[in-house]
Amino acid sequence: MFRNTFVWLILAVALGALLLTTFNPFGNGPAEVPISEVLNVIAKDVQEGKEPPPKITIINDIVEAETSQGTLHSTKELGSDFLQMLHDRGIRDDQITVQIQRPNDLLHWLEILSPYLIMLVMVGGLFFLIRQAQSGNNQAMMFGKSRARMFAGDKPTVTFADVAGVEEAKHELEEVVEFLKEPTKFTALGARIPRGVLVMGPPGTGKTLLARAVAGEAGVPFFHISGSEFVEMFVGVGASRVRDLFDQAKRNAPCIVFVDEIDAVGRQRGAGLGGSHDEREQTLNQILVEMDGFDTNTNVIVIAATNRPDILDPALLRPGRFDRRVILDRPDMNGRRAIFEVHVRGKPLDDDVDLLKLAQQTPGLSGADIANVVNEAAILAARENKKSVNMGDFQESVEKVVAGPERRSRLISEEEKRIIAYHEAGHALVSHLLPLADPVHKISIVSRGMALGYTMSLPEEDRYLTSSAKFRDELAALLGGHASEKLVFGDTTTGSSNDLERATKMARQMVTRLGMSDKLGPLTFGQKEELIFLGREISEQRDYSELVAQEIDHEVQSLVREAYDRATETLTTNRDKLELLARRLIEHETLEEDEFLAVLSEPTASPGLGSGVLGPIAI
């Protein structure tokens, strides 16, 4: 900052000197004449009685005389008295007009110093150019330096108390911190401190949060860098930065190095487009050497995080480099409740807030999703000028995060509204009546996100194994909306497109991946291929014949048809409840779980079209 200020100061002085040279009032007037000539012209005008009399202005050693011959400029000797010169010529003071002005000291001194200022600007400019050249050389030398940020951990902002829902993973990393704090406790028994810890898990499950907690708890230097910060377009820069990072870590040992998103440089070698001389591969090779090369007597622990462990190089994953693998999964119900408890700290809550119920309503959400739910609930409460956050704010926040914000401004005709009501009623009724389908939590025909309406079905408990019978009930529930439209209106609409896509995908997974086809047996079909360089699936290798492919298509079609027939049969048998539920949806637009159950418990007329409720609409 000081250097920039100095440069601007030099430029300002140079500009001032240039302006002084251009607009100097002392040196830019008419050509000067000798002082004797000025005296002769003044004496002549006085003797001839010219009118007006000569007017003389004296500014320091500059003499300006307005005479009959015009304005004359001259310079007298420094220290001489011009008035005395006039008196010597016999000119009295009443015969002329004399004005003595005080010179502008600033301009006077600028005039004197301007050559020196210009010289100073030239010297300063040369000095600046030399400094810039040296800075460029320094930057070139710094290009291969590591960009890791070091945290001392003196004032931790995140500790293990702020991490919930991943107790086993937290225990593994707590032990790493204990290794660094009390190494003799383990070395006395011959235990070796782990060289590296690889934290794996889907996005949002808390990998970086755990690393920040380790930084807060360790009490040793903590270096943080992203995998993408190693690689540059220039060859050798990545390897140089790796060497510099580990040199810094060794000088500060014992310490921890955290590499976030290590898959940016740790992908399998030989799978890229640059061959063995690829810059990324050179960087990976240097990481492998630094983690477990000849120099192994270092107290540096490397923690790396990735959500793509399947594409990492096998040499990076072996023991001796990453001795521990910590797997983070989406939290279960108890974990979600603990995460809610962490994120609601410091927030005013109403007495009706039930964190256990919120945990039951958010299956499959990660820790980051839950943090977003809590934040959205607080925003909703603040928007309505509430003093605390209530359960309604949390439930609205859950739906907003899962399905998107409500779009009540979307104009939907009465006819389309009835179609949507029957569609969602079909989903809800089939899901409620089939024994293995998830219970209905909420039904709405209010547009939310991209959906015109939605039925929220939530499991009663966390489930890790799914049976074939449950898949078949879920397929029927997915097709309940499509079957309802066909049953009531005699036609179908585009509103079922997503349901059909999900049902078809589920049925194909049952046949080709889960071995749930009685006809094809317990086999899997097709091998997925992916380019490690791209890190994504791009094709599927068919390891079966065309005849088997036809059988697979037939089985998928059979599963979907069977589910559709079950949904149609269920809705036909309970047509009166379908009509009643659709009518209540049209009236109230949204039904919660208790309201939905109350509607189904109401007495209705006998099933069939003659029940006296809303009949079919021609579309």
Side-chain angles (χ1 to χ4, degrees), residues 20 23-26 103-113:
L20 177 65
F23 302 105
N24 185 4
F26 301 107
N104 190 322
D105 293 337
L106 178 61
L107 293 177
H108 177 67
W109 283 107
L110 283 177
E111 180 187 16
I112 297 175
L113 297 177

Side-chain angles (χ1 to χ4, degrees), residues 319-393:
R321 292 197 172 103
F322 285 108
D323 301 293
R324 291 191 175 188
R325 300 184 187 183
V326 177
I327 300 176
L328 302 183
D329 202 356
R330 299 187 185 277
D332 56 13
M333 187 174 64
N334 292 329
R336 292 192 298 273
R337 179 180 180 178
I339 295 173
F340 269 112
E341 290 174 351
V342 168
H343 290 292
V344 298
R345 291 176 187 168
K347 295 180 175 62
L349 303 180
D350 276 0
D351 295 335
D352 65 341
V353 175
D354 187 350
L355 298 183
L356 178 59
K357 187 174 182 181
L358 287 173
Q360 292 173 343
Q361 294 176 4
T362 52
L365 266 62
S366 66
D369 295 328
I370 294 174
N372 192 25
V373 166
V374 175
N375 186 59
E376 287 291 341
I379 291 175
L380 289 173
R383 187 182 301 165
E384 298 179 7
N385 298 318
K386 297 179 181 178
K387 299 300 182 182
S388 59
V389 187
N390 59 29
M391 191 65 177
D393 297 323

Side-chain angles (χ1 to χ4, degrees), residues 234-261:
F234 302 106
V235 176
V237 172
S240 175
R241 289 179 177 174
V242 171
R243 287 191 295 270
D244 185 67
L245 170 62
F246 279 89
D247 285 342
Q248 293 183 48
K250 292 171 186 176
R251 289 195 298 269
N252 291 276
C255 67
I256 296 175
V257 175
F258 174 59
V259 183
D260 202 2
E261 305 295 345

Side-chain angles (χ1 to χ4, degrees), residues 145-196:
K145 297 295 183 181
S146 169
R147 297 183 180 180
R149 279 78 64 190
M150 186 178 77
F151 303 93
D154 297 333
K155 297 180 180 179
T157 56
V158 179
T159 63
F160 285 127
D162 301 312
V163 182
V166 284
E167 298 305 320
E168 293 80 7
K170 187 166 69 171
H171 175 72
E172 292 285 337
L173 292 175
E174 284 176 341
E175 198 169 66
V176 170
V177 173
E178 192 176 0
F179 272 133
L180 294 172
K181 289 185 175 180
E182 301 181 34
T184 56
K185 174 182 176 181
F186 300 92
T187 55
L189 298 176
R192 179 178 58 85
I193 296 177
R195 193 65 52 81

Side-chain angles (χ1 to χ4, degrees), residues 29-178:
E32 290 191 356
V33 298
I35 192 68
S36 59
E37 182 176 345
V38 175
L39 292 171
N40 292 334
V41 173
I42 294 174
K44 182 180 179 182
D45 286 352
V46 171
Q47 292 174 1
E48 295 177 356
K50 298 287 185 179
E51 292 292 339
K55 181 179 179 182
I56 302 168
T57 302
I58 301 175
I59 306 175
N60 204 9
D61 58 344
I62 303 298
V63 177
E64 181 182 288
E66 296 180 9
T67 66
S68 59
Q69 297 183 13
T71 302
L72 303 179
H73 290 263
S74 183
T75 303
K76 67 182 182 64
E77 292 182 4
L78 190 64
S80 61
D81 190 348
F82 187 73
L83 293 178
Q84 185 61 43
M85 294 179 188
L86 294 174
H87 293 161
D88 293 342
R89 295 281 183 128
I91 301 173
R92 300 187 308 273
D93 292 342
D94 58 347
Q95 294 176 317
I96 57 176
T97 301
V98 179
Q99 182 180 5
I100 300 177
Q101 294 183 358
R102 180 178 177 84
N104 190 322
D105 293 337
L106 178 61
L107 293 177
H108 177 67
W109 283 107
L110 283 177
E111 180 187 16
I112 297 175
L113 297 177
S114 59
Y116 303 101
L117 291 176
I118 294 174
M119 184 179 298
L120 177 64
V121 169
M122 295 177 62
V123 173
L126 181 62
F127 176 75
F128 178 72
L129 292 176
I130 294 174
R131 287 292 302 272
Q132 285 292 100
Q134 292 178 348
S135 176
N137 292 333
N138 291 336
Q139 290 178 4
M141 296 298 293
M142 293 292 292
F143 201 68
K145 297 295 183 181
S146 169
R147 297 183 180 180
R149 279 78 64 190
M150 186 178 77
F151 303 93
D154 297 333
K155 297 180 180 179
T157 56
V158 179
T159 63
F160 285 127
D162 301 312
V163 182
V166 284
E167 298 305 320
E168 293 80 7
K170 187 166 69 171
H171 175 72
E172 292 285 337
L173 292 175
E174 284 176 341
E175 198 169 66
V176 170
V177 173
E178 192 176 0

Side-chain angles (χ1 to χ4, degrees), residues 598-609:
V599 170
L600 295 185
S601 64
E602 292 181 12
T604 56
S606 58
L609 293 177

Side-chain angles (χ1 to χ4, degrees), residues 252-460:
N252 291 276
C255 67
I256 296 175
V257 175
F258 174 59
V259 183
D260 202 2
E261 305 295 345
I262 195 174
D263 51 275
V265 292
R267 296 172 185 261
Q268 289 189 21
R269 290 169 292 179
L273 301 179
S276 60
H277 297 287
D278 183 26
E279 165 66 7
R280 180 184 55 79
E281 294 191 0
Q282 293 189 26
T283 306
L284 174 59
N285 291 338
Q286 189 63 45
I287 292 175
L288 297 177
V289 172
E290 293 290 346
M291 288 192 68
D292 189 22
F294 278 95
D295 185 14
T296 59
N297 296 322
T298 58
N299 291 329
V300 177
I301 296 180
V302 179
I303 300 178
T306 180
N307 52 20
R308 291 300 309 272
D310 53 308
I311 66 173
L312 295 180
D313 193 276
L316 189 64
L317 298 177
R318 72 163 177 81
R321 292 197 172 103
F322 285 108
D323 301 293
R324 291 191 175 188
R325 300 184 187 183
V326 177
I327 300 176
L328 302 183
D329 202 356
R330 299 187 185 277
D332 56 13
M333 187 174 64
N334 292 329
R336 292 192 298 273
R337 179 180 180 178
I339 295 173
F340 269 112
E341 290 174 351
V342 168
H343 290 292
V344 298
R345 291 176 187 168
K347 295 180 175 62
L349 303 180
D350 276 0
D351 295 335
D352 65 341
V353 175
D354 187 350
L355 298 183
L356 178 59
K357 187 174 182 181
L358 287 173
Q360 292 173 343
Q361 294 176 4
T362 52
L365 266 62
S366 66
D369 295 328
I370 294 174
N372 192 25
V373 166
V374 175
N375 186 59
E376 287 291 341
I379 291 175
L380 289 173
R383 187 182 301 165
E384 298 179 7
N385 298 318
K386 297 179 181 178
K387 299 300 182 182
S388 59
V389 187
N390 59 29
M391 191 65 177
D393 297 323
F394 277 105
Q395 291 180 334
E396 172 65 21
S397 176
V398 170
E399 295 178 32
K400 183 177 181 180
V401 170
V402 173
E406 279 192 351
R407 302 179 63 182
R408 291 186 177 272
S409 59
R410 174 178 283 178
L411 297 178
I412 300 177
S413 64
E414 290 299 322
E415 183 178 352
E416 288 186 337
K417 188 175 181 180
R418 296 179 69 182
I419 295 174
I420 297 170
Y422 275 100
H423 183 99
E424 299 304 331
H427 279 307
L429 193 58
V430 174
S431 183
H432 175 74
L433 295 175
L434 294 182
L436 297 180
D438 291 331
V440 176
H441 175 68
K442 185 176 183 178
I443 320 168
S444 177
I445 59 172
V446 177
S447 178
R448 184 180 285 275
M450 298 301 294
L452 295 175
Y454 62 95
T455 299
M456 184 180 293
S457 299
L458 299 175
E460 295 178 336

